[in-house]
């Protein structure tokens, strides 16, 4: 088998591929993924609220379940959970849908044939799961960071927040201020890179499994089973990553609100989070 | 730093697109999904807790009613038992009264009869005694051939008969 063929079989671009340009904006396939996820969510929302009843039917119950589950977790975080519950729920739902969109048949396989400068023929998928694009995860992480800084300032005042960054004994400020600043900033990186890395790795894993099982006719029957196992696994990882992102954002915000009660130990969170290289479990998120 | 972002094709416009997309979605979801759903969750939980509370009250009430009913039944049973025993007692008392009365009546009747018999007997005895005295006098007069009608003689005979009487009584 030629090496080129194998290469093209496992082709998963690390960046979102451009589809067309609208003025200065290059429309990429991950934007299609994000829009698709948004539309699916809005459809689900429309379905739930269209004929909602106090006693939920099966479909309504199933669609409300993730909201109920997350609301249950968020409500235990702090007494002012109502003010940021929508943001956390939004994070959770958009990431969950964006992750699961990647598992739909046709996503990542149906695309436009594109011949690059070197003459290689490649298929550019029409839809790419949005969370496999750093633009998406970085955007969400930026919102999360801005929100917890905003909450920190709102809860403690601008000077109070600055004092938190300077550290407790004021003479340690020259050392603590950069550390705290990096800790705050590292949350941005850890949140975005963790999500991106996991979903992208999932995509690569699925593509690899498919390529491995379809590479030789001899193992072709496996193509019907092996990727399915990993699809199930990715279903779980998609949920876990959505929960991790949402719950970390929640803990950042709730600790920012409650900082004046138990200040000083939240820089551990940032470093701890940065240390998580691959799939952190929900338990990790709960302890963070 | 820029190289890092370039490697991942991080582009400001794309980033802004994703952020805007998310914010619009968040606004719509919050307005049309989270608020109604969370409100409904609250409503549901209050309703469920109220329902549970109601069920508990109902159970308590039922228990109370059951206890009351049982008490009423027990009371009624006790009353009925009392009534029966009272009736029994009255019946026994009446029977005893009637019996004693009857017995007293019978006693009275028999005493009267006995008294009458004794009276009759005494009368008969007196009569017999009188006749015997007459006979004795007549016999004695025949025997002595003379009239024995003066009071002294008659007293003598009567004295004799009175003496005789104790000895005759055992034989009679």
């Amino acid at each position: 088998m030629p090496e080129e063929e194998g290469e093209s079989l496992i082709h998963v671009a690390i960046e979102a591929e451009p589809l067309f340009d609208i003025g200065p904006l290059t429309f990429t396939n991950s934007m299609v993924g994000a829009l698709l996820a948004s539309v699916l969510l809005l459809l689900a929302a429309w379905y739930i609220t269209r004929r909602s009843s106090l006693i939920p039917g099966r479909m309504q119950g199933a669609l409300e379940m993730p909201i109920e589950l997350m609301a249950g977790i968020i409500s235990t975080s702090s007494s002012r959970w109502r003010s940021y519950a929508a943001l956390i729920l939004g994070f959770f739902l958009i990431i969950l849908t964006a992750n699961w969109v990647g598992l739909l048949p046709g996503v990542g396989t149906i695309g436009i044939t594109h011949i690059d400068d070197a003459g290689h023929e490649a298929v550019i998928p029409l839809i790419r799961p949005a969370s496999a694009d750093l633009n998406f995860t970085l955007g969400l992480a930026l919102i999360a960071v801005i929100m917890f800084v905003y909450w920190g300032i709102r809860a403690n005042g601008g000077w109070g927040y600055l004092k938190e960054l300077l550290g407790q004994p004021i003479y340690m400020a020259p050392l603590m201020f950069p550390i705290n600043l990096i800790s705050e900033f590292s949350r941005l990186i850890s949140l975005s890179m963790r999500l991106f890395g996991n979903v992208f790795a999932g995509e690569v894993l699925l593509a690899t499994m498919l390529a491995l099982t379809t590479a030789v006719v001899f193992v072709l029957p496996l193509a019907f089973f092996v990727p399915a196992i990993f699809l199930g696994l990715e279903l779980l990882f998609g949920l876990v990553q959505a929960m991790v992102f949402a719950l970390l954002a929640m803990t950042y915000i709730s600790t920012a609100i409650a900082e004046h009660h138990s200040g000083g130990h939240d820089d551990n969170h940032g470093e701890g989070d940065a240390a998580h290289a691959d799939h952190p479990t929900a338990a990790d998120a709960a302890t963070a | 730093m820029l190289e890092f972002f370039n490697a991942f094709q991080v582009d400001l416009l794309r980033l802004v697109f994703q952020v805007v997309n998310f914010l619009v979605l968040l606004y719509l979801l919050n307005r049309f999904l989270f608020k109604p759903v969370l409100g409904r969750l609250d409503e549901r939980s209050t309703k469920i807790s109220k329902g549970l509370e109601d069920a508990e009250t109902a159970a308590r009430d039922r228990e109370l009613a059951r206890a009351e009913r049982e008490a009423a039944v027990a009371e009624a049973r006790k009353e009925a038992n009392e009534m029966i025993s009272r009736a029994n007692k009255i019946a026994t008392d009446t029977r005893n009264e009637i019996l004693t009365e009857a017995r007293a009546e019978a006693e009275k009747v028999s005493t009267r009869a006995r008294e009458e018999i004794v009276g009759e007997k005494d009368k008969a005895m007196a009569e017999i005694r009188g006749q015997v005295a007459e006979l004795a006098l007549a016999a004695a007069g025949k025997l002595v051939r003379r009239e024995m009608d003066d009071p002294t003689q008659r007293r003598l005979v009567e004295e004799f008969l009175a003496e005789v009487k104790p000895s005759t009584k055992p034989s009679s």
Side-chain angles (χ1 to χ4, degrees):
Chain A
M1 186 166 47
E3 211 180 317
E4 277 177 23
E5 203 184 324
E7 244 177 7
S8 70
L9 268 173
I10 321 179
H11 171 76
V12 180
I14 199 162
E15 78 283 345
E17 290 122 317
L19 293 173
F20 49 86
D21 292 345
I22 305 172
L25 175 68
T26 309
F27 213 79
T28 61
N29 47 12
S30 82
M31 290 183 191
V32 180
L35 284 177
L36 181 65
S38 308
V39 168
L40 285 177
L41 269 180
L42 288 175
L43 278 177
W46 172 75
Y47 184 87
I48 289 179
T49 48
R50 187 181 47 137
R51 41 169 187 192
S52 62
S53 61
L54 200 62
I55 298 153
R58 252 181 221 191
M59 195 65 185
Q60 195 193 333
L63 288 174
E64 275 181 13
M65 196 176 67
I67 301 177
E68 204 174 335
L69 176 81
M70 284 304 286
I73 299 173
I74 296 167
S75 63
T76 59
S77 65
S78 84
S79 55
R80 295 160 74 183
W81 67 279
R82 286 245 173 220
S83 48
Y84 55 85
L87 181 73
I88 307 303
L89 280 171
F91 278 146
F92 174 69
L93 289 179
I94 185 71
I95 295 169
L96 184 70
T97 336
N99 288 349
W100 282 359
V101 156
L103 306 179
L104 291 175
V107 173
T109 48
I110 297 175
I112 308 163
T113 312
H114 173 78
I115 302 160
D116 64 11
D117 307 332
H120 285 301
E121 197 181 315
V123 175
I124 297 177
L126 264 178
I127 308 166
R128 177 188 173 94
S131 25
D133 177 9
L134 198 61
N135 286 306
F136 175 78
T137 62
L138 197 61
L140 294 191
L142 265 175
I143 295 172
V145 169
I146 289 170
M147 282 317 286
F148 82 72
V149 170
Y150 163 77
W151 274 106
I153 291 172
R154 218 183 110 165
N156 304 332
W159 178 238
Y161 180 71
L162 204 64
K163 264 207 296 211
E164 287 292 338
L165 286 183
L166 287 174
Q168 202 38 307
I170 199 69
Y171 55 87
M172 289 292 279
L175 181 66
M176 296 310 289
F177 183 68
I179 290 179
N180 283 335
L181 211 61
I182 289 169
S183 141
E184 300 278 276
F185 182 68
S186 72
R187 291 173 176 179
L188 179 67
I189 303 296
S190 74
L191 275 178
S192 58
M193 289 306 279
R194 179 192 304 112
L195 182 56
F196 166 74
N198 277 293
V199 178
F200 178 70
E203 288 292 301
V204 173
L205 181 66
L206 287 180
T208 311
M209 283 305 138
L210 200 61
L212 275 179
T213 48
T214 53
V216 191
V217 180
F218 180 59
V219 291
L220 204 55
L222 284 179
F224 293 102
F225 307 108
V226 174
I229 296 167
F230 287 92
L231 274 174
L233 213 56
E234 285 306 314
L235 211 62
L236 182 67
F237 285 156
L239 174 69
V240 167
Q241 286 310 314
M243 282 191 82
V244 165
F245 191 101
L247 294 182
L248 278 178
M250 179 195 83
T251 25
Y252 292 158
I253 293 176
S254 61
T255 47
I257 290 175
E259 221 141 54
H260 50 285
H261 293 308
S262 56
H265 74 274
D266 75 311
D267 48 344
N268 297 332
H269 295 311
E271 283 162 20
D273 295 336
H276 286 302
D278 55 15
H279 297 119
T281 59
D284 286 341
T287 54
Chain B
M1 197 67 177
L2 215 64
E3 250 173 69
F4 169 81
F5 283 134
N6 277 337
F8 292 103
Q9 287 283 307
V10 173
D11 175 84
L12 191 64
L13 277 174
R14 295 182 194 180
L15 194 72
V16 168
F17 171 86
Q18 297 286 10
V19 168
V20 168
N21 177 45
F22 175 72
L23 290 179
V24 169
L25 179 72
L26 187 62
Y27 171 76
L28 290 174
L29 284 184
N30 187 38
R31 182 133 165 46
F32 296 113
L33 183 64
F34 300 155
K35 273 182 186 161
V37 167
L38 285 180
R40 203 155 60 231
L41 287 183
D42 283 352
E43 199 184 332
R44 206 177 288 157
S45 71
T46 52
K47 210 159 247 189
I48 285 171
S49 60
K50 197 180 164 293
L52 287 177
E53 215 169 88
D54 284 358
E56 210 168 283
T57 335
R60 211 162 41 229
D61 285 357
R62 211 161 50 233
E63 186 63 27
L64 218 68
R66 198 179 63 83
E68 223 163 77
R69 203 174 56 233
E70 261 170 25
V73 166
E75 181 74 16
R77 194 166 292 148
K78 209 177 98 192
E79 223 159 80
N81 278 343
E82 241 167 51
M83 229 176 256
I84 288 170
S85 64
R86 206 160 53 223
N88 270 346
K89 196 170 163 286
I90 288 171
T92 334
D93 285 0
T94 318
R95 201 190 62 181
N96 284 347
E97 214 171 283
I98 288 169
L99 270 179
T100 33
E101 230 165 70
R103 210 167 279 145
E105 190 70 22
E107 190 79 15
K108 222 171 14 185
V109 167
S110 72
T111 350
R112 207 165 47 223
R114 207 172 293 133
E115 272 168 9
E116 256 167 39
I117 288 168
V118 171
E120 286 299 316
K121 202 182 93 185
D122 283 357
K123 219 174 16 183
M125 280 298 272
E127 227 164 80
I128 288 168
R129 208 171 285 144
Q131 277 178 9
V132 168
E134 293 283 329
L135 274 178
L137 278 178
K142 268 199 186 132
L143 211 69
V144 227
R145 303 258 187 240
R146 59 185 268 216
E147 202 90 356
M148 280 190 90
D149 51 356
D150 68 307
T152 328
Q153 286 162 341
R154 190 175 176 89
R155 196 173 40 97
L156 274 174
V157 171
E158 269 173 8
E159 266 174 22
F160 166 73
L161 278 175
E163 269 169 37
V164 162
K165 197 178 155 189
S167 63
T168 53
K169 204 165 189 185
S171 67
S172 71

